[in-house]
Amino acid sequence: MMLVQPMERLQSGIFITFSGNCRAALTFYQSCFGGTLHFDMFDEPLQGYTEVPVVSATLISGRIAIYGSDLGHNEGRRVGNYIAVFLPCRDISERGELIERLTSQQKRRTDFDMQQKFIEVTDLFNVRWVLGIASLSAGLSI
């Protein structure tokens, strides 16, 4: 079984463990970011899963690499507020498009001050995204 799709070059990215909805999540992210999507699946359903679980998934786009799996740690998946995916945007317009895509399936919509340096959104899979704009962030010093 191949765990990672062969690539011309290695690419760092994020790895997200899902609760049985990895296929739906990465398909959703492909609609947001484009790119090539690959799944490695078990041959048959496992006990405790309603569908055949994803062993390993890879979404490689021009902007981001997302890796994922339905197989979680023994202690289960815990959503916390200590980590988010940072994605730089070229401008306010691009960030607005990403906000629309990432929140398109949510019932409650939020209005954002688009002039903020960073905007955080949470998608329907409880993944937090921090969307920054390089031109607004250029004056930041750490």
Side-chain angles (χ1 to χ4, degrees):
M1 170 180 5
M2 180 174 59
L3 293 180
V4 177
Q5 181 182 14
M7 295 179 266
E8 302 247 339
R9 62 184 177 95
L10 296 176
Q11 185 170 356
S12 296
I14 60 170
F15 188 95
I16 305 170
T17 302
F18 296 92
S19 300
N21 58 0
C22 182
R23 178 181 285 280
L26 266 73
T27 301
F28 170 74
Y29 295 139
Q30 184 182 36
S31 75
C32 294
F33 303 113
T36 303
L37 186 55
H38 178 79
F39 295 101
D40 286 314
M41 311 289 290
F42 275 102
D43 294 329
E44 56 190 56
L46 295 179
Q47 185 176 4
Y49 290 88
T50 57
E51 296 183 23
V52 176
V54 174
V55 175
S56 175
T58 308
L59 172 63
I60 305 293
S61 82
R63 338 185 30 126
I64 192 167
I66 303 174
Y67 304 91
S69 177
D70 281 325
L71 306 179
H73 300 282
N74 290 338
E75 67 270 12
R77 183 175 188 260
R78 290 180 259 163
V79 178
N81 62 0
Y82 55 90
I83 192 165
V85 179
F86 176 75
L87 195 61
C89 301
R90 284 185 278 280
D91 54 35
I92 289 174
S93 175
E94 181 183 52
R95 179 166 65 182
E97 289 174 20
L98 282 173
I99 289 170
E100 179 64 31
R101 290 179 189 165
L102 288 168
T103 62
S104 64
Q105 297 184 15
Q106 295 178 354
K107 294 176 186 166
R108 185 176 64 93
R109 303 304 291 256
T110 305
D111 290 326
F112 296 99
D113 175 1
M114 296 303 282
Q115 297 299 320
Q116 292 178 326
K117 290 180 176 66
F118 303 108
I119 292 178
E120 181 178 294
V121 298
T122 302
D123 67 29
L124 75 144
F125 299 99
N126 286 324
V127 174
R128 293 173 185 255
W129 298 85
V130 175
L131 306 174
I133 297 180
S135 62
L136 294 176
S137 303
L140 290 179
S141 59
I142 298 177

